């Protein structure tokens, strides 16, 4: 699910406040601010879709049903003309399916051991996990060669210690560890980003209609709707929080099971009436105008019993989708940015860009720059070198210095608000020639 600016999230919370119990508000807030990426993005899916339903239809959040143990996410009487509907909202990512958790766990164990024998050596280690094939339920399946219970054996410890302790390390530049728990090639690299230190040749794509995160999530949500009263539509809204199966529901190539096939398979075996997939996407093309590939919503509806007259049936659903604020990122990008801590309100900000314009034959200059960046510079949170890099895209020229050197000083300044969809504003500085910053002129010349 795309990340919205924190300003937008707060506005959604405020709009929903009359419908939230104290406990529900506290729960949503705790999950939105959670360090766990899965929890944070799932909460954002829930908040944004509840908010969008409330814009076009009546809404009860966490309604109490006849069976008091059943608390679906939403009940609406008017979103669908054919009757009231119970809605469960969820989000799916590739994390568990990609083996990333197991790979990162193994990388942490190996890196910690290596640091004990050569300081900061783990920061240079890149891990390539191999794949194999196993017979599972009578079918040959691709498997990632890493166990979720991996531990270093004495033989591995001896091998790693000899490698990182060698005076000529990294020579050789790679080392392979393999047994029944793991098969990984560990490479030394000058620069390794923490978010990109693990890789597997086996992509997070399914080869089974039921052994995949989308099907398992739908089954879980179906159980939460199983106690619903007769006459209520049962609906599942599912968001792409970095899930390749939802990002591309019908991929090219026949070797993998598609998200579309999985959802149809689920509905044929389910009492759920419809599944609605929300995924951000970009249009990519060679001849696209600048800015035309900003993320947009792709919403796909799947029905257990397809209806012919969908115009009136889904009018409000269409209006709900159109009313959703545009996504800032695609799902996989949002997941990566969250992991890097880029949405920590007290971390380094996500800055608006710097723009410079000239008028009056170049004597009048306007510089528009991130107000958050300037605040962090004044607060001592970033250095002058970092400011130069962020503000001027790594260029050696400091444009403020250029104006002062040319005898121009700030004659006016204003704040341009970034709005709800940006967590930053811009400070606009107007420069004009100033005799206080340039040599005096001979008036007779």
């Amino acid at each position: 699910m795309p990340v919205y600016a924190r300003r937008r999230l707060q506005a959604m919370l405020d709009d929903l406040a009359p419908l939230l119990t104290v406990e529900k508000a506290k729960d949503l807030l705790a999950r939105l601010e959670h360090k766990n990426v899965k929890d944070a993005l799932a909460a954002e899916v829930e908040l944004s879709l509840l908010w969008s339903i409330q814009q076009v239809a009546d809404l009860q959040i966490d309604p109490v049903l006849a069976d008091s143990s059943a608390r679906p996410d939403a009940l609406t009487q008017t979103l669908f003309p054919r009757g009231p509907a119970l809605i469960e909202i969820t989000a799916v990512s590739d994390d568990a399916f990609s083996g990333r958790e197991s790979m990162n766990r193994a990388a942490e164990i190996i890196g910690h051991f290596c640091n004990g024998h050569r300081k900061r050596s783990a920061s240079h280690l890149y891990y390539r996990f191999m794949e194999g094939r196993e017979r599972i339920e009578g079918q040959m399946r691709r498997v990632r060669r890493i166990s979720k219970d991996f531990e270093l054996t004495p033989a591995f410890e001896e091998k790693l210690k000899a490698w990182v302790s060698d005076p000529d390390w990294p020579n050789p530049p790679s080392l392979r560890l393999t047994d029944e728990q793991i098969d990984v090639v560990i490479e030394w690299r000058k620069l390794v980003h923490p978010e990109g230190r693990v890789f597997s040749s086996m992509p997070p794509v399914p080869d089974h209609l039921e052994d995949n995160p989308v099907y398992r999530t739908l089954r879980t949500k179906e159980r939460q709707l199983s106690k619903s009263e007769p006459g209520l539509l049962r609906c599942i809204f599912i968001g792409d929080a970095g899930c390749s199966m939802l990002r591309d529901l019908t991929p090219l190539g026949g070797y993998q099971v598609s998200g579309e096939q999985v959802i149809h398979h689920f509905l044929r075996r389910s009492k759920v009436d419809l599944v609605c997939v929300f995924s951000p996407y970009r249009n990519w093309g060679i001849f696209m105008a600048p800015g035309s590939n900003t993320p947009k919503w792709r919403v796909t509806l799947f029905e257990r019993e397809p209806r012919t007259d969908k115009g009136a049936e889904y009018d409000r659903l269409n209006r709900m989708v159109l009313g959703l604020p545009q996504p800032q990122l695609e799902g996989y990008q949002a997941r990566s940015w969250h992991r890097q801590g880029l949405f920590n309100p007290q971390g380094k900000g996500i800055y608006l860009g710097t723009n410079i314009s000239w008028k009056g034959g170049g004597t009048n200059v306007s510089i528009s720059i991130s107000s958050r960046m300037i605040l962090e510079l004044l607060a001592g949170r970033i250095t002058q070198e970092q400011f130069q890099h962020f503000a001027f895209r790594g260029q050696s020229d400091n444009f403020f210095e250029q104006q002062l050197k040319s005898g121009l000083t700030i004659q006016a300044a204003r704040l341009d608000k970034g709005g709800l969809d940006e967590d930053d504003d811009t400070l606009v500085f107007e420069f004009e020639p100033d005799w206080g910053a340039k040599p005096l002129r001979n008036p007779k010349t």
Side-chain angles (χ1 to χ4, degrees), residues 124-128 163 170 173-175 185-189 192:
H124 295 284
L125 300 182
Y126 177 80
Y127 303 82
R128 286 191 297 114
W163 185 48
S174 65
L175 180 73
V185 174
I186 308 169
E187 301 175 0
W188 182 92
R189 295 188 178 183
V192 178

Side-chain angles (χ1 to χ4, degrees), residues 102-359:
S102 297
M103 291 190 290
N104 268 326
R105 179 181 174 276
E108 283 292 329
I109 292 171
I110 293 168
H112 180 72
F113 179 84
C114 290
N115 277 340
H117 295 277
R118 182 183 286 269
K119 288 184 179 180
R120 294 184 291 276
S121 56
S123 62
H124 295 284
L125 300 182
Y126 177 80
Y127 303 82
R128 286 191 297 114
F129 289 84
M130 304 296 107
E131 65 174 285
R133 296 187 74 82
E134 289 183 9
R135 185 170 294 280
I136 302 173
E137 297 178 353
Q139 180 183 359
M140 289 302 294
R141 307 273 295 278
R142 294 172 75 184
V143 294
R144 206 170 282 104
R145 293 281 286 109
I146 176 60
S147 166
K148 61 181 174 58
D149 302 317
F150 167 78
E151 296 294 342
L152 282 174
T153 63
F156 284 166
E157 289 181 346
E158 185 178 343
K159 200 170 183 179
L160 287 166
K161 180 179 177 181
W163 185 48
V164 298
S165 300
D166 193 299
D168 293 330
W169 188 75
N171 185 20
S174 65
L175 180 73
R176 186 168 185 173
L177 303 179
T178 181
D179 67 2
E180 67 280 359
Q181 297 185 87
I182 193 171
D183 189 357
V184 63
V185 174
I186 308 169
E187 301 175 0
W188 182 92
R189 295 188 178 183
K190 185 176 181 180
L191 296 174
V192 178
H193 194 286
E195 274 301 298
R197 65 178 175 175
V198 297
F199 169 79
S200 174
S201 56
M202 179 179 168
V205 295
D207 56 8
H208 193 279
L209 281 169
E210 296 183 5
D211 185 13
N212 62 75
V214 170
Y215 188 86
R216 287 193 290 269
T217 299
L218 291 172
R219 278 294 182 210
T220 299
K221 290 300 177 181
E222 178 189 31
R223 287 192 290 273
Q224 292 175 237
L225 292 170
S226 62
K227 302 293 185 180
S228 64
E229 301 162 12
L232 293 175
L233 287 172
R234 301 177 185 183
C235 313
I236 299 175
F237 286 0
I238 184 167
D240 167 16
C243 177
S244 54
M245 291 176 66
L246 299 180
R247 183 170 178 248
D248 190 359
L249 286 164
T250 54
L252 297 174
Y255 71 92
Q256 70 184 74
V257 173
S258 72
E260 182 180 60
Q261 290 172 315
V262 168
I263 295 171
H264 282 307
H265 177 76
F266 164 76
L267 286 171
R268 284 194 295 269
R269 290 157 176 76
S270 170
K271 293 183 179 180
V272 169
D273 295 291
L274 61 88
V275 172
C276 197
V277 178
F278 296 79
S279 181
Y281 76 102
R282 297 176 193 267
N283 285 317
W284 294 103
I286 299 174
F287 303 108
M288 296 184 65
S292 59
N293 68 336
T294 54
K296 298 178 178 62
W297 282 108
R298 176 185 288 125
V299 181
T300 311
L301 184 69
F302 299 88
E303 299 172 287
R304 181 161 53 89
E305 298 177 0
R307 301 169 68 86
T308 55
D309 181 22
K310 293 186 179 181
E313 180 69 19
Y314 297 117
D315 174 63
R316 287 192 186 226
L317 183 63
N318 289 331
R319 285 161 51 198
M320 167 193 154
V321 171
L322 291 172
L324 269 171
Q326 289 303 300
Q328 303 293 300
L329 300 166
E330 292 186 69
Y332 72 96
Q333 294 170 320
R335 185 180 54 168
S336 176
W337 283 34
H338 255 297
R339 285 205 194 100
Q340 297 175 62
L342 293 177
F343 298 104
N344 178 353
Q346 289 298 310
K348 290 187 176 64
I350 301 172
Y351 310 121
L352 291 173
T354 302
N355 291 297
I356 304 171
S357 59
W358 292 264
K359 55 186 177 181

